[in-house]
């Protein structure tokens, strides 16, 4: 992972980017309305479907070893080649070795967050190999030297006028702002890249162990070009994407597109079951699928965080997150932003490297409400916050390298001691006003309080605080 800018500095930069915030706000509201409308118009039992999907995904995760071996057996039987990668480096190396063996120096990519996770483009660039993005959003970002801001719509923070300017500067195209004309520019540019293509790469939305096949969904058609036009197709698949059956995967797809973009069904469904057969008119001669772990096994073994592996990468949690909408995905400085990123990034990359993003959450719970597979994201974020200060029940990846603030941890321990014992808590509230002068005058140097006072006005602690809290809670203590 690249060197990071301090998170506070990055957040202030993004909060001051009024154009980005306006673009995101407009886009998020559109996605929210589209989702709500399609659920209302097209589904009779959305909640029942969510429960069915959660159960199917849990069943696959709880029998993951069996699912993976069954998938390998059936995929090999179908003529595909299966590779195993423990780490991000392993996955990159497998792709590079395949390219070196075939003497290929260019690769075209369909949209794949997995390739972003393993840093494939940077890895290949160091080897002198060009990796070209073909997804429209990813292409825009690659031309502009940016990383994805969203896991479904990677360039959602850019409006059509900005895209037109990027195409003018980077492709030498005529300045345009109409979507149809911008699409035509991208199509003309990519068609020349597809000519004579030898190797294409894709991600995997879902793999089916019984069928030994995998499913790709998209809206542009570039992914299908990457999987049918070249001689070799490489698919990059996180091990948690393997389901038991086609029926289980179909349940996931029926939830994914409504949650992601508000569509009832995706424009393209591509189910890859084998390389080109003798009677086929197109398709790759070789299909390679890389099953990579990258700390997913450790996450699966953690009773606190395994549920996040149900994620189907729909991005709904981001679309409804009030924090993400204000600061955008780049502020998280990790592959997966938003609420799901706050959970899986510390587990995949280490809480010592990405733990700062745990503060990017208001704990409003909207992410948990809209997640199509019922991941309790807000609860998992709270658990990770406890982990970060050394008070969690289990240990997150990278905890041994986490630098803890001992004074801050002491303050929270004392607060917990008071807040969990009724008599002490009531006494503390009744005497708290005695500390008002000290807190108001030294607020900028006190642990925890100084972070609050940097952005908010500290309230005055009144003598009748105890009675006010009773009234708020609707409780009268005898």
């Amino acid at each position: 992972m690249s060197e990071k800018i301090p998170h506070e500095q990055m957040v202030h930069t993004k909060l001051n980017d009024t154009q980005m915030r306006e673009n995101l706000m407009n886009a998020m509201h559109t996605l929210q309305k589209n989702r709500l409308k399609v659920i209302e118009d097209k589904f009779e039992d959305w909640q029942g479907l969510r429960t069915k999907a959660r159960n199917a995904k849990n069943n696959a995760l709880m029998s993951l070893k069996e699912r993976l071996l069954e998938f390998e057996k059936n995929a090999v039987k179908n003529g595909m080649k299966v590779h195993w990668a423990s780490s991000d480096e392993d996955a990159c190396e497998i792709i590079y070795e395949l390219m070196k063996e075939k003497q290929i120096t260019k690769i075209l990519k369909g949209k794949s967050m997995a390739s972003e996770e393993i840093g494939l483009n940077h890895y290949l660039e160091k080897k002198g190999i060009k990796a070209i993005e073909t997804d429209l959003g990813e292409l825009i970002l690659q031309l502009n030297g940016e990383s994805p801001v969203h896991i479904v719509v990677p360039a959602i923070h850019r409006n059509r006028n900005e895209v037109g300017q990027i195409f003018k500067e980077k492709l030498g195209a005529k300045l345009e702002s109409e979507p149809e004309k911008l699409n035509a520019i991208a199509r003309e540019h990519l068609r020349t890249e597809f000519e004579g293509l030898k190797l294409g790469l894709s991600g995997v939305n879902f793999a089916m162990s019984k069928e030994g096949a995998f499913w790709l969904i998209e809206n542009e058609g570039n992914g299908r070009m990457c999987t049918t036009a070249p001689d070799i197709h490489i698919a990059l698949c996180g091990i948690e994407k393997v389901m038991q059956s086609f029926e289980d995967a179909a349940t996931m797809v029926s939830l994914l597109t409504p949650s992601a973009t508000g569509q009832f069904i995706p424009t393209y469904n591509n189910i890859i079951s084998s390389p080109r057969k003798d009677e086929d008119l197109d398709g790759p001669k070789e299909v390679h699928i890389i099953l990579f772990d990258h700390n997913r096994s450790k996450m699966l073994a953690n009773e606190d965080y395994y549920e996040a592996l149900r994620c189907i990468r729909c991005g709904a949690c981001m679309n409804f997150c009030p924090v993400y909408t204000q600061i955008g995905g780049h502020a998280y400085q990790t592959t997966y932003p938003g609420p799901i990123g706050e959970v899986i990034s510390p587990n995949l990359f280490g809480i010592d490297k990405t733990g700062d993003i745990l503060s990017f959450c208001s704990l409003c719970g909207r992410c948990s409400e809209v997640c199509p597979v019922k991941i309790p994201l807000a609860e998992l974020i709270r658990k990770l916050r406890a982990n970060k200060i050394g008070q969690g029940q289990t240990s997150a990846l990278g905890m041994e390298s986490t630098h803890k603030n001992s004074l801050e941890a002491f303050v929270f321990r004392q607060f917990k001691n008071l807040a969990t014992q009724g008599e002490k808590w009531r006494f503390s509230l009744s005497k708290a006003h005695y500390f008002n002068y000290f807190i108001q005058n030294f607020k900028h140097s006190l642990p925890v309080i100084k972070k609050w006072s940097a952005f908010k006005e500290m309230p005055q602690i009144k003598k009748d605080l105890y009675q006010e809290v009773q009234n708020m809670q609707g409780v009268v203590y005898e």
Side-chain angles (χ1 to χ4, degrees), residues 124-328:
L124 293 178
E125 185 179 359
K126 291 177 181 177
K127 302 288 186 180
I129 293 174
K130 189 177 182 182
I132 300 169
E133 302 289 351
T134 65
D135 174 83
L136 179 56
E138 295 279 6
L139 172 64
I140 293 165
L141 297 178
Q142 187 174 47
L143 290 172
N144 208 40
E146 295 182 86
S147 57
V149 77
H150 192 283
I151 62 175
V152 176
V153 272
I156 199 169
H157 62 304
R158 296 293 180 191
N159 63 35
R160 55 194 177 94
N161 296 309
E162 291 173 305
V163 173
Q165 190 64 40
I166 292 170
F167 283 176
K168 179 178 182 293
E169 293 175 2
K170 306 299 181 179
L171 297 179
K174 180 182 176 183
L175 183 62
E176 302 285 1
S177 61
E178 295 301 317
E180 293 82 1
K181 293 180 179 179
L182 294 173
N183 279 328
I185 292 170
R187 185 181 300 112
E188 182 180 356
H189 167 69
L190 288 173
R191 287 287 174 176
T192 60
E193 298 288 357
F194 276 114
E195 290 178 5
L197 178 63
K198 298 296 182 184
L199 177 63
L201 181 134
S202 74
V204 171
N205 289 104
F206 304 102
M208 296 81 79
S209 65
K210 281 188 174 181
E211 290 80 9
F214 56 95
W215 197 331
L216 307 172
I217 63 175
E218 55 166 328
N219 284 324
E220 297 177 14
N222 63 293
R224 183 169 289 181
M225 289 287 286
C226 287
T227 62
T228 58
D231 293 333
I232 303 170
H233 169 207
I234 299 176
L236 193 57
C237 179
I239 57 174
E240 84 283 8
K241 298 291 186 73
V242 179
M243 307 293 297
Q244 183 170 6
S245 65
F246 176 84
E247 288 77 15
D248 288 344
T251 299
M252 302 300 160
V253 173
S254 65
L255 285 165
L256 199 162
T257 45
S259 299
T261 58
Q263 297 169 264
F264 181 49
I265 57 174
T267 306
Y268 295 91
N269 280 288
N270 307 299
I271 297 173
I272 313 295
S273 59
S274 72
R276 181 195 302 181
K277 297 177 181 176
D278 293 339
E279 63 273 18
D280 291 339
L281 298 177
D282 60 11
K285 297 175 183 176
E286 295 181 22
V287 175
H288 299 258
I289 182 163
I290 301 171
L291 297 170
F292 78 102
D293 189 328
H294 193 212
N295 294 318
R296 285 161 171 78
S297 293
K298 294 178 182 177
M299 193 172 170
L300 181 60
N302 192 313
E303 62 180 342
D304 278 346
Y305 307 123
Y306 78 91
E307 289 187 276
L309 290 173
R310 288 204 300 268
C311 178
I312 58 175
R313 303 293 192 266
C314 68
C317 59
M318 299 177 199
N319 301 344
F320 283 82
C321 177
V323 177
Y324 175 90
T325 303
Q326 296 300 320
I327 63 176

Side-chain angles (χ1 to χ4, degrees), residues 320-416:
F320 283 82
C321 177
V323 177
Y324 175 90
T325 303
Q326 296 300 320
I327 63 176
H330 287 159
Y332 293 77
Q333 300 188 84
T334 186
T335 305
Y336 301 107
I340 186 62
E342 289 179 52
V343 177
I344 64 175
S345 292
N347 280 287
L348 297 181
F349 303 109
I351 196 170
D352 54 327
K353 297 177 181 177
T354 61
D356 285 350
I357 64 175
L358 292 168
S359 63
F360 294 2
C361 178
S362 65
L363 295 178
C364 68
R366 294 176 78 182
C367 52
S368 302
E369 290 181 16
V370 300
C371 175
V373 287
K374 295 189 173 182
I375 302 171
L377 288 164
E379 180 184 342
L380 301 187
I381 290 169
R382 283 195 293 270
K383 288 180 178 179
L384 278 163
R385 285 180 171 181
N387 259 150
K388 188 184 175 188
I389 62 170
Q391 293 184 3
Q393 299 300 310
T394 60
S395 180
L397 182 71
M399 278 297 298
E400 64 280 356
S401 302
T402 303
H403 299 291
K404 302 178 184 67
N405 186 319
S406 57
L407 185 56
E408 185 175 292
F410 173 78
V411 170
F412 276 116
R413 280 197 302 272
Q414 297 310 308
F415 177 79
K416 178 183 177 181

